[in-house]
């Protein structure tokens, strides 16, 4: 997935654990782990809003696009 | 209302199991009848209500052909019942909205179409061999409802597949 979720970096900067974030925004640890590991297919605006609110950041600080080269068919 | 829901599932499962056994039994009976019609033709045909007469040979051939078509219907019905039973099992497990069930529903739709075609073949054979002197009355009739049911199953399978894919997407949404 070329979309990278930088929750870990933001948590580290804010000296906050994933469990604390989970309690603060009311999203289960399991769902936050899915988001963190890049396994999520979609993110709700409400989730993004809650994380931004809790970490005092912008959506752009959390999400990053990294171009991946697709294998070309020979 | 919600209390009767598991009971309905249990009842459906039992009914389907009984129907599966009855279908196999019916197949065995048709096969026995077909074999018997080859061994003791006049006795079997008389028992089925066809009088042995010089011009009745085509009628006998037609009746045997109908038996063969009936035998072809047995695995088709078995397929429908087995797939339906599997769908019910997924409901009781609590995970019915999966693409596999949409595929099963589509298989049922194709099988129902196959059954309708065998039904049509039976009607055609009966019409071809039946004469005023020796009529073959099997109570065949065209039913728009059954064809609509086939169409509805294909549509439902498509809807089910779409729904299952939407659910898969939703599962990955945080």
């Amino acid at each position: 997935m070329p979309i990278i979720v930088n929750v870990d970096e933001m948590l580290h900067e804010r000296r906050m654990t994933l469990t604390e974030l989970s309690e603060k925004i009311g999203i289960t640890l399991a769902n936050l782990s899915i988001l963190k590991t890049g396994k999520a297919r979609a993110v709700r605006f409400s989730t993004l809003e809650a994380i931004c609110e809790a970490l005092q950041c912008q959506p752009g600080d959390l999400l990053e696009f990294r171009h991946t080269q697709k294998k070309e068919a020979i | 209302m919600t209390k009767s829901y598991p009971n309905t599932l249990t009842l459906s499962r039992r009914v389907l199991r009984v129907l599966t056994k009855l279908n196999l039994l019916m197949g065995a009976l048709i096969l026995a009848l077909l074999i018997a019609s080859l061994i003791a033709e006049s006795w079997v045909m008389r028992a089925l209500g066809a009088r042995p007469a010089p011009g009745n040979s085509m009628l006998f051939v037609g009746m045997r052909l109908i038996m063969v078509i009936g035998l072809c219907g047995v695995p088709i019905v078995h397929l429908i019942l087995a797939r339906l039973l599997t769908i019910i099992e997924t409901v009781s497990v609590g995970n019915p909205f999966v693409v596999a069930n949409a595929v099963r529903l589509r298989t049922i739709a194709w099988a129902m179409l196959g059954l309708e075609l065998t039904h049509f073949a039976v009607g055609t054979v009966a019409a071809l061999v039946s004469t005023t002197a020796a009529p073959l009355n099997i109570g065949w009739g065209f039913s728009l409802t059954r064809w609509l049911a086939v169409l509805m199953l294909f549509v439902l399978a498509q809807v089910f597949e779409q729904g299952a894919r939407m659910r898969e997407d939703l599962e990955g949404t945080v």
Side-chain angles (χ1 to χ4, degrees), chain B residues 1-83:
Chain B
M1 195 81 174
T2 48
K3 217 176 175 183
S4 66
Y5 178 66
N7 293 341
T8 316
L9 274 185
T10 313
L11 183 71
S12 306
R13 207 180 290 130
R14 279 181 192 160
V15 168
L16 283 172
R17 280 187 187 137
V18 170
L19 284 176
T20 305
K21 281 171 188 161
L22 281 177
N23 178 52
L24 292 173
L25 182 71
M26 191 63 81
L29 286 175
I30 296 171
L31 185 67
L33 197 65
L34 183 66
I35 293 166
S37 78
L38 294 168
I39 299 164
E41 186 184 84
S42 57
W43 183 81
V44 171
M45 293 305 174
R46 206 180 294 120
L48 289 172
R51 280 166 293 162
N56 274 8
S57 60
M58 275 308 286
L59 182 72
F60 292 171
V61 170
M63 285 170 90
R64 281 198 195 102
L65 208 56
I66 288 171
M67 287 177 208
V68 171
I69 296 168
L71 276 176
C72 293
V74 173
I76 300 174
V77 173
H78 189 81
L79 184 78
I80 292 171
L81 296 171
R83 293 292 183 277

Side-chain angles (χ1 to χ4, degrees), chain A residues 31 34 40-44 47, chain B residues 165 168-174:
Chain A
N31 271 345
I34 288 170
R41 287 191 187 197
V43 185
R44 287 191 186 92
T47 307
Chain B
R165 290 201 195 284
E168 270 178 17
D169 272 352
L170 202 65
E171 273 180 349
T173 305
V174 178

